[in-house]
Amino acid sequence: LSNYLYHSQEPTPEKWVHNDDPCHVKYENEVTLASHVLPNIGTDEINDKYFSNIVKMCRSLFQSKPSLQNSTFYEHLLELDSGDGLRLATAQMVAASGEANQHHAGGDVARMANNIVKLKELESYMPSEVEVLTMSTEEFIRSAANSTMRFLDFVFGVNNTVISREKRWEAAQSQEKTFDKALDSSHVTQSITRKQKKRKKRLKELLRSDKDLAPILKLTESLVDEALATNED
């Protein structure tokens, strides 16, 4: 949802949306993103046919209407109604390879799910050598300083004296100040007004009920929740 809200701003913060084909799913070697992730996240429901249906849905929305045949991805985000614009943007985040936009974005949702599974697998194979920290965006928004401190402790070790606690906290507070400034920029899409919150809630409900997108979103959400809960134990 943040992806759609972010890139449909006027003006849009990133240039690649003017040149992207959001439904392009192949890499240079002609393999697809789905072929990379399905061995790890595939289920009875999420399979080759499932990804093919997402691409079909994407193609049904992108440059399919006479009035949008020569329009860019960004222009689609502006011209389509918010439901279809969100579906198109999310399809790009699920199935696209990113090849069409020089890998600025594409397939992020599927790759996130895949990475969680692979990192968990690696951690189980090498428990004494590999440790994974999973943090949520919500946690960072609540306190950028505490989240940064947690990250620094994970990287350097809580009791490591090479970088003092004071220096770490100084860096964490600096990060929080940078984030606070970003809240006033176009890079942050947190809802502020009641109208914005209501719209965001409606769009979230649309995604949760979408027959094409809901399965992969629910799977990814489940994997993220599991990874976050593991870190809390």
Side-chain angles (χ1 to χ4, degrees), residues 9-61:
Q9 295 178 90
E10 297 185 72
T12 186
E14 297 182 350
K15 294 181 180 180
W16 64 264
V17 293
H18 296 295
N19 306 304
D20 190 36
D21 175 354
C23 312
H24 183 81
V25 298
K26 291 185 177 181
Y27 296 100
E28 284 184 356
N29 58 4
E30 292 300 303
V31 299
T32 64
L33 173 70
S35 69
H36 285 294
V37 302
L38 281 175
N40 303 309
I41 67 170
T43 66
D44 290 341
E45 184 176 24
I46 299 173
N47 48 34
D48 282 315
K49 183 178 179 181
Y50 174 77
F51 272 86
S52 294
N53 287 338
I54 289 181
V55 177
K56 287 178 183 177
M57 178 268 284
C58 187
R59 289 293 180 201
S60 74
L61 295 172

Side-chain angles (χ1 to χ4, degrees), residues 10-185:
E10 297 185 72
T12 186
E14 297 182 350
K15 294 181 180 180
W16 64 264
V17 293
H18 296 295
N19 306 304
D20 190 36
D21 175 354
C23 312
H24 183 81
V25 298
K26 291 185 177 181
Y27 296 100
E28 284 184 356
N29 58 4
E30 292 300 303
V31 299
T32 64
L33 173 70
S35 69
H36 285 294
V37 302
L38 281 175
N40 303 309
I41 67 170
T43 66
D44 290 341
E45 184 176 24
I46 299 173
N47 48 34
D48 282 315
K49 183 178 179 181
Y50 174 77
F51 272 86
S52 294
N53 287 338
I54 289 181
V55 177
K56 287 178 183 177
M57 178 268 284
C58 187
R59 289 293 180 201
S60 74
L61 295 172
F62 185 63
Q63 297 183 337
S64 60
K65 296 180 179 180
S67 61
L68 294 172
Q69 281 184 347
N70 297 310
S71 298
T72 65
F73 177 41
Y74 174 60
E75 288 168 338
H76 278 71
L77 298 183
L78 296 180
E79 296 298 327
L80 292 173
D81 68 66
S82 58
D84 282 343
L86 176 60
R87 295 180 80 225
L88 178 63
T90 307
Q92 194 265 358
M93 291 289 283
V94 171
S97 66
E99 187 78 21
N101 60 51
Q102 289 75 53
H103 302 286
H104 287 289
D108 300 62
V109 172
R111 288 188 287 106
M112 179 191 294
N114 180 75
N115 291 345
I116 291 173
V117 171
K118 294 302 290 182
L119 285 169
K120 183 179 179 180
E121 186 178 284
L122 180 62
E123 196 173 21
S124 67
Y125 287 153
M126 307 171 67
S128 62
E129 299 178 46
V130 177
E131 186 177 355
V132 177
L133 173 66
T134 303
M135 301 177 67
S136 68
T137 304
E138 288 80 3
E139 180 183 351
F140 185 83
I141 291 171
R142 280 197 303 271
S143 175
N146 288 339
S147 295
T148 303
M149 194 68 176
R150 186 182 177 196
F151 167 75
L152 293 173
D153 285 346
F154 174 76
V155 173
F156 298 109
V158 176
N159 300 316
N160 189 296
T161 57
V162 175
I163 300 178
S164 67
R165 303 289 295 172
E166 290 76 14
K167 285 292 183 183
R168 295 183 203 188
W169 185 242
E170 183 181 319
Q173 288 180 310
S174 176
Q175 180 62 45
E176 184 160 79
K177 288 179 182 177
T178 300
F179 178 68
D180 287 342
K181 289 181 181 178
L183 286 173
D184 296 324
S185 75

